[in-house]
Amino acid sequence: MSAEAANPGAPLRKRGRARIDLRRLGRVALLGPVSRDRLPDAIGHVADAHRAHHPDADLAILSKAYVLAESSHRGQMRKSGEPYITHPLAVTLILAELGAETTTLTASLLHDTVEDTEVTLDQVREEFGDEVCYLVDGVTKLEKVDYGAAAEPETFRKMLVATGNDVRVMSIKLADRLHNMRTLGVMRPEKQARIAKVTRDVLIPLAERLGVQALKTELEDLVFAILHPEEYERTQALISAWEGAQDQLTEIADRVRSTLRDAGINAEVLIRPRHFVSVHRVRIKRGEMRGTDFGRLLVLVGEDADCYAVLGELHTCFTPVISEFKDFIAAPKFNLYQSLHTAVVGSEGAVAEVLIRTHRMHKVAEAGVVALGNPYTQDGTAAAQQLEPADGERADPTRPGWLSRLLDWQESATDSDTFWATLRADLAQDREITVFRTDGGTLGLPAGASCVDAAYAQYGDEAHGCIGARVNGRLATLSTALNDGDTVQLLLAQDASSGPSPEWLDHARTPAARIAITRWLDAHPDGAQGPQKSRPDAPKPQAQPADDAAGTRSRAADRAAGVVVDMPGAPVRLAGCCTPVPPDTIIGFTVRGGAVTVHREECPAVARMRGTGRAAVGARWDDPGDWSGTTDYKVTLVAESFGRPRLLADLTEAIATADAAIVSATVEPPSEQRVRHTYTLQLPDAAGLPGLMRAMRDVPGVYDVSRAQQPAATG
């Protein structure tokens, strides 16, 4: 089953298996139970999929669960017209194809019985044991959800706790939501949109963090089709056109197979089409799509060492794009994902992304925690621990580290609204870094985390007295952003009365840090005498934010920028971190001094400020005919290329031909045949930006040109 299948409506199934006819299954289901020695025909697909992953599985309990579910739901119908039993059957099939173990499948068949029928939890426990009962109870609690705005915070707080106690509960919930999304067409458009938004904001990020990519990618495509139908149709047309002409990617795949065969490496090389949302994102990023942008190569091998052998052969026999190399085997992602990522250059400069992993890594990459089996048994036979420890929490060995942290800070959240805001901000983080402590320990933090976050992750409330840090042996401010692999030493004040400054909230990315700082500030409205506390009568000098560096411009200059904000009379400036130009979608935020800084909607600073609760200010481009000054705009572009003679001259000539003026330019030293150029340009007309980027991409050796997305201080 492919996590990147290009058809969002296709059911999760193994290649070659016939499409499942739910209406036929419904008719079979209504026939009732069969003889004791034979599995009911209605779950034949489930049995086949389960045995493919677990050849020795005992299917008797599945037969027993199906008989109870079918008899309990008999007479109930779905809005689409099928018998209701087809829903738990479809949910169970999704999990079976992901490789879920028998206990999870049994609970999946029964997941709606306690909620929608006369079956009780005591009956489930008596017939199927404590483990199945625990899972059914967990899913039942999640089913009692009113997705209205007022109910969301507390609802998902309970969902998080249920997931933390056993990740299999959320696995069933995600499969349940996927089948409901597949059949959402029978509902009113407004209800479709409401359910799609909740799926997008919470369930898809949770699927990502649990590593269940097969569910996550299909959910993304289904949400995309509902919320952005026009973009979906455009993307569908692009994919359809590409599927008839995969020559470039096929040629590179053939060369890779030949290279590995000659090297004596036993490997399977596949072309993995990107799913709809992935294609849409690539198109937005790069503008014009190339043939190799629609898919990636997947190389599957037997052992970890073979992954690095494949990497060595590819980097020897092809020209590698070093900036695209990532090693998620040595440093797995927070959602258990392991793989080597690289990119190689084929004929005529075509660049193909390559994923290298073992078959086991591939299974976990597709199914995440679902592929890990039952966390409460050893070797599938004996219980590893008691179901209900004395403290009431089940110690789940498959629980990801990020989930443990969320469970910790949700207990400290003062109210549901605070929890909801911090949960959504945390789920928006799609990458995690690992930093090392000087005592040999490690800290897992979201990408972009600062020393403030590291302090609270290591010391909890004792971090209130933090006065600075050493990063890689050098003194650093608490606002310093940390990178993957940094070594950080936090410096604490001896004065126990010291407390955090309100400015710390501008640098805190983790919920734990933000909640702890806010709680302390609320408890000390008059401040503290510690060295970190900013006093109203003695403000602490601070570095000017990047987008404040030029100072506040006059209102005439703001009008010349062509931006109107919903704060009449306020000075307006364009953010230097993302250099917005028409027709970019823009949004504003107030900074110190009452000015409004305008960012592109997709600027990383926007997500950060929204996550901290900063109120946005509406902003839009003015009518060009009303502008009172010049229409020039500054924009920062990043060009990635392979090193060659006269490259810089050719690039500057392309820029000059497009009538753009170079304000500043930075060329990084060549590294592994790769050169990175950063240009800040003055454009006579914002409409010429797409043509300028195309002209730069057409320069031989340049393989990508993109808008700069630099992190910037938010003021």
Side-chain angles (χ1 to χ4, degrees), residues 503 506 542 544-545 547-548 551-553 558 567-573 589-597 614 714-715:
E503 284 78 11
D506 292 336
Q542 298 195 5
Q544 189 109 353
D547 49 24
D548 291 348
T552 302
R553 300 185 299 178
D558 299 327
M567 284 185 62
V572 181
R573 62 178 70 96
F589 291 87
T590 56
V591 295
R592 287 186 295 275
V596 176
T597 300
R614 293 276 290 273
T714 62

Side-chain angles (χ1 to χ4, degrees), residues 433-486:
I433 63 172
T434 300
V435 298
F436 296 91
R437 296 162 24 180
T438 52
D439 61 3
T442 61
L443 298 173
L445 299 168
S450 67
C451 292
V452 171
D453 300 300
Y456 283 95
Q458 181 171 350
Y459 293 112
D461 286 348
E462 292 182 18
H464 294 329
C466 194
I467 57 175
R470 290 183 182 273
V471 177
N472 300 325
R474 296 188 176 185
L475 286 174
T477 64
L478 289 177
S479 62
T480 300
L482 298 170
N483 297 310
D484 200 25
D486 281 349

